[in-house]
Amino acid sequence: MSSEFRYQRRVQFAETDLAGIVHFSEMFRYMEEAEHAMWREAGLTIAERGSDLGWPRLNAALEFRNPLRFEEEFEVWVRIAELKTRTIEYEFTLVRGQTVIAVGTMTAVCVRKLPDGTMRAAEIPASIRHALEAL
Amino acid sequence: MSSEFRYQRRVQFAETDLAGIVHFSEMFRYMEEAEHAMWREAGLTIAERGSDLGWPRLNAALEFRNPLRFEEEFEVWVRIAELKTRTIEYEFTLVRGQTVIAVGTMTAVCVRKLPDGTMRAAEIPASIRHALEAL
Amino acid sequence: MSSEFRYQRRVQFAETDLAGIVHFSEMFRYMEEAEHAMWREAGLTIAERGSDLGWPRLNAALEFRNPLRFEEEFEVWVRIAELKTRTIEYEFTLVRGQTVIAVGTMTAVCVRKLPDGTMRAAEIPASIRHALEAL
Amino acid sequence: MSSEFRYQRRVQFAETDLAGIVHFSEMFRYMEEAEHAMWREAGLTIAERGSDLGWPRLNAALEFRNPLRFEEEFEVWVRIAELKTRTIEYEFTLVRGQTVIAVGTMTAVCVRKLPDGTMRAAEIPASIRHALEAL
């Protein structure tokens, strides 16, 4: 559960803004891309077709240390800090070479979607828990 | 059916890119925002909750004449060029004051979503047709 | 400096994801849109053309309380919590009617862009400070 | 000049919309990502730091044949259909396995950015022309 997964990425043009650097909101997308790649590494998908499970975010936070620019290659290091009954707490570090771009956290909660479209927090299924713990 | 709907908008920071102007892909989002605002003007919504109807795009095209920049106010003029049995053909003009920013077209097709997640083209319901024709 | 600015917005289609709700990264864009609207209210712009000033983000965080859905209207309430020598700390609340969607914070730092493309933290100019304090 | 470049990609969560498929505006981003990857393959970058050259789009069009869904892997095939004095006309095909997702075109124009922030069409530099022709 404490092992780290590393996701590689390159900055795309549309992710930059008029300041010439990656827009900060894109960094949150990078976080999530790394999370989902980690799930694939565990043999899982965060959005299984036909499933009533969902994983909305309870919170997300980033500290920005250095800018990222067009075409730069970087990595997102993601680690599960805590796997609770219903929530997963992730820790992230974005790095370009030896330079830390950003550090942050995100918490996802396991929910079941009800027929009326609302969501109710639910226990993380054992199969998912075990696959994530085995990373 | 030939009346024009005008949608007002301001350029947001995250919509610009390192060239200092709005990224061209955002112009396609502006087109769609105007389409949906026109539907609301007709008392409709393009995504009715619980409905099995959907309106995927068959094609979209824009010619870019002039750049748009951060915080500029502009309008999207949208017109239904043709309302066929199963498709709607839209024409768009993006303007900032007297300056044409872009002109383009988009075609949406009415579909019904099947239980297996696929979609099948369907006739546009009469109530929607009449509401759009009454614009 | 403690007065609150309220920014109105409607959810657009492209801001939703396959879970049927607004993607969490879009909420950070909403925060920033409200910040920039507050600057305009103060007679300012966060990106003055030809200026060497910039306002990169040092951190951004949101707690998500309730989902937002397509076409829903909501408000972003933004307040300057602290206006320091070089940084501005904002507090945000996203609300739809009586329902709190999200609460969060963001810190922007004043920088001057150097000829080599790098940025250096700088004192917030008095004119900007006074305009923000007068809100 | 007629050789084809193939760019590989996976659909990310934030690129989907409430219809459960990739939002059509994201397909235009995929086109551009493939273009830029082709430039890198030619030893070029479309946004050289410190250069006064830019490559705004004159037009972009896509026909959508089949939907793309979360986590699907696909390719963008890009080909330079015509390399003129000042413009580059690209052709694109998005494919997932044997399924065509979309086909389209895009034209970019070479410009020089003037000190006042405006842009003027310019001849494509010989070094760039030769590198693209050598693909």
Side-chain angles (χ1 to χ4, degrees):
Chain A
M1 200 169 12
S2 65
S3 68
E4 190 175 71
F5 178 76
R6 299 190 173 196
Y7 173 69
Q8 297 190 325
R9 185 67 150 73
R10 185 191 292 278
V11 174
Q12 299 298 339
F13 194 90
E15 294 159 3
T16 64
D17 61 35
L18 64 83
I21 60 179
V22 169
H23 191 262
F24 81 101
S25 68
E26 300 286 346
M27 304 270 192
F28 288 96
R29 295 193 174 201
Y30 298 159
M31 284 170 74
E32 188 180 66
E33 290 186 18
E35 174 203 18
H36 295 175
M38 191 179 69
W39 277 56
R40 286 192 293 274
E41 180 75 11
L44 301 170
T45 174
I46 204 142
E48 193 161 357
R49 231 168 295 169
S51 165
D52 66 341
L53 279 185
W55 300 88
R57 279 78 246 278
L58 287 185
N59 57 62
L62 279 172
E63 289 181 29
F64 307 103
R65 303 272 174 84
N66 283 288
L68 262 183
R69 294 174 195 277
F70 176 54
E71 286 190 335
E72 287 183 339
E73 293 180 280
F74 64 97
E75 289 189 349
V76 184
W77 301 349
V78 50
R79 201 175 69 82
I80 294 179
E82 202 157 357
L83 189 48
K84 297 189 175 170
T85 308
R86 299 174 173 206
T87 60
I88 308 174
E89 297 178 16
Y90 299 99
E91 290 178 353
F92 298 88
T93 308
L94 284 74
V95 292
R96 186 196 60 240
Q98 304 300 315
T99 304
V100 173
I101 300 300
V103 297
T105 56
M106 186 166 66
T107 304
V109 59
C110 182
V111 301
R112 293 206 176 267
K113 298 171 217 159
L114 305 183
D116 65 357
T118 62
M119 303 178 290
R120 179 189 299 265
E123 279 196 23
I124 298 172
S127 60
I128 292 177
R129 173 177 301 281
H130 296 155
L132 291 175
E133 285 174 344
L135 272 172
Chain B
M1 200 170 12
S2 65
S3 68
E4 191 176 68
F5 179 77
R6 298 189 172 195
Y7 173 69
Q8 296 189 325
R9 183 69 150 73
R10 185 190 293 275
V11 174
Q12 299 298 339
F13 195 88
E15 295 160 1
T16 64
D17 60 35
L18 66 82
I21 60 179
V22 169
H23 191 263
F24 81 100
S25 67
E26 300 286 347
M27 304 270 191
F28 289 95
R29 295 194 175 200
Y30 298 159
M31 282 170 76
E32 189 180 66
E33 289 186 17
E35 175 202 17
H36 295 175
M38 190 178 69
W39 277 56
R40 286 192 295 273
E41 179 75 11
L44 301 170
T45 174
I46 204 143
E48 193 161 356
R49 231 168 294 170
S51 165
D52 65 342
L53 279 185
W55 300 88
R57 278 79 247 276
L58 289 184
N59 56 64
L62 278 173
E63 288 180 30
F64 306 103
R65 304 273 174 83
N66 284 287
L68 262 182
R69 294 174 195 279
F70 175 54
E71 287 191 334
E72 287 182 339
E73 293 180 280
F74 63 97
E75 288 188 351
V76 184
W77 302 349
V78 49
R79 201 175 68 82
I80 294 181
E82 202 156 358
L83 189 48
K84 296 187 174 172
T85 307
R86 299 174 173 206
T87 61
I88 308 175
E89 296 178 17
Y90 298 98
E91 290 178 353
F92 298 88
T93 308
L94 283 75
V95 292
R96 186 196 60 241
Q98 304 299 315
T99 303
V100 173
I101 299 301
V103 296
T105 56
M106 186 166 66
T107 304
V109 58
C110 183
V111 301
R112 293 204 177 269
K113 298 170 217 160
L114 305 182
D116 66 357
T118 61
M119 302 177 290
R120 181 189 298 265
E123 279 196 24
I124 298 173
S127 59
I128 292 178
R129 174 179 301 281
H130 294 156
L132 291 175
E133 285 175 344
L135 273 172
Chain C
M1 200 169 12
S2 64
S3 68
E4 190 175 69
F5 178 76
R6 299 189 173 197
Y7 173 69
Q8 297 189 324
R9 184 69 149 73
R10 184 191 292 275
V11 174
Q12 300 296 339
F13 194 90
E15 294 159 3
T16 64
D17 61 35
L18 65 83
I21 60 178
V22 169
H23 191 262
F24 81 101
S25 67
E26 300 287 346
M27 303 269 192
F28 289 95
R29 294 193 174 201
Y30 298 159
M31 283 170 74
E32 188 180 68
E33 290 186 18
E35 174 202 17
H36 295 175
M38 191 179 69
W39 278 56
R40 285 193 295 274
E41 180 74 11
L44 301 171
T45 174
I46 204 143
E48 192 161 359
R49 231 169 292 170
S51 166
D52 66 341
L53 279 186
W55 301 87
R57 278 79 245 275
L58 288 184
N59 56 64
L62 278 172
E63 288 180 31
F64 307 103
R65 304 273 174 84
N66 283 288
L68 261 183
R69 295 176 194 276
F70 176 53
E71 286 191 334
E72 287 183 340
E73 293 182 280
F74 64 98
E75 289 189 348
V76 185
W77 301 350
V78 49
R79 201 177 68 81
I80 294 180
E82 202 157 357
L83 189 49
K84 297 188 174 172
T85 308
R86 299 173 174 206
T87 60
I88 308 175
E89 297 177 17
Y90 298 98
E91 290 178 354
F92 297 88
T93 307
L94 283 74
V95 293
R96 185 196 62 240
Q98 304 299 315
T99 303
V100 173
I101 301 301
V103 297
T105 56
M106 185 168 66
T107 305
V109 59
C110 183
V111 301
R112 293 204 176 269
K113 298 170 217 162
L114 305 182
D116 66 357
T118 61
M119 303 177 289
R120 180 189 300 266
E123 280 195 23
I124 298 172
S127 59
I128 291 177
R129 174 177 301 280
H130 295 155
L132 291 175
E133 286 174 344
L135 273 172
Chain D
M1 200 170 9
S2 65
S3 68
E4 191 175 70
F5 178 77
R6 297 187 175 198
Y7 172 70
Q8 297 189 324
R9 184 68 151 74
R10 185 190 292 276
V11 173
Q12 300 297 340
F13 194 90
E15 294 159 3
T16 64
D17 61 35
L18 66 83
I21 60 178
V22 169
H23 191 262
F24 80 101
S25 68
E26 300 286 346
M27 304 269 191
F28 288 96
R29 295 193 173 200
Y30 298 159
M31 283 170 75
E32 188 180 68
E33 289 186 18
E35 174 202 17
H36 295 174
M38 190 178 71
W39 278 57
R40 286 193 294 274
E41 179 75 11
L44 301 170
T45 173
I46 204 144
E48 194 161 357
R49 231 169 293 170
S51 164
D52 65 342
L53 279 185
W55 301 87
R57 279 77 245 276
L58 288 185
N59 56 64
L62 277 173
E63 287 181 30
F64 307 103
R65 304 273 174 83
N66 283 287
L68 263 182
R69 294 175 195 277
F70 176 54
E71 285 191 336
E72 288 183 338
E73 293 181 280
F74 64 97
E75 289 189 348
V76 184
W77 302 351
V78 50
R79 202 176 67 82
I80 295 181
E82 203 158 357
L83 190 48
K84 296 187 174 172
T85 307
R86 299 173 174 206
T87 60
I88 308 175
E89 296 178 17
Y90 298 97
E91 290 178 353
F92 298 87
T93 308
L94 284 75
V95 292
R96 184 195 63 240
Q98 304 299 314
T99 303
V100 173
I101 300 301
V103 296
T105 57
M106 185 168 66
T107 304
V109 59
C110 182
V111 300
R112 293 204 176 270
K113 297 169 217 160
L114 305 182
D116 65 358
T118 61
M119 303 177 288
R120 180 189 300 265
E123 279 195 23
I124 297 172
S127 60
I128 291 177
R129 174 177 300 280
H130 295 154
L132 291 175
E133 285 175 343
L135 273 172

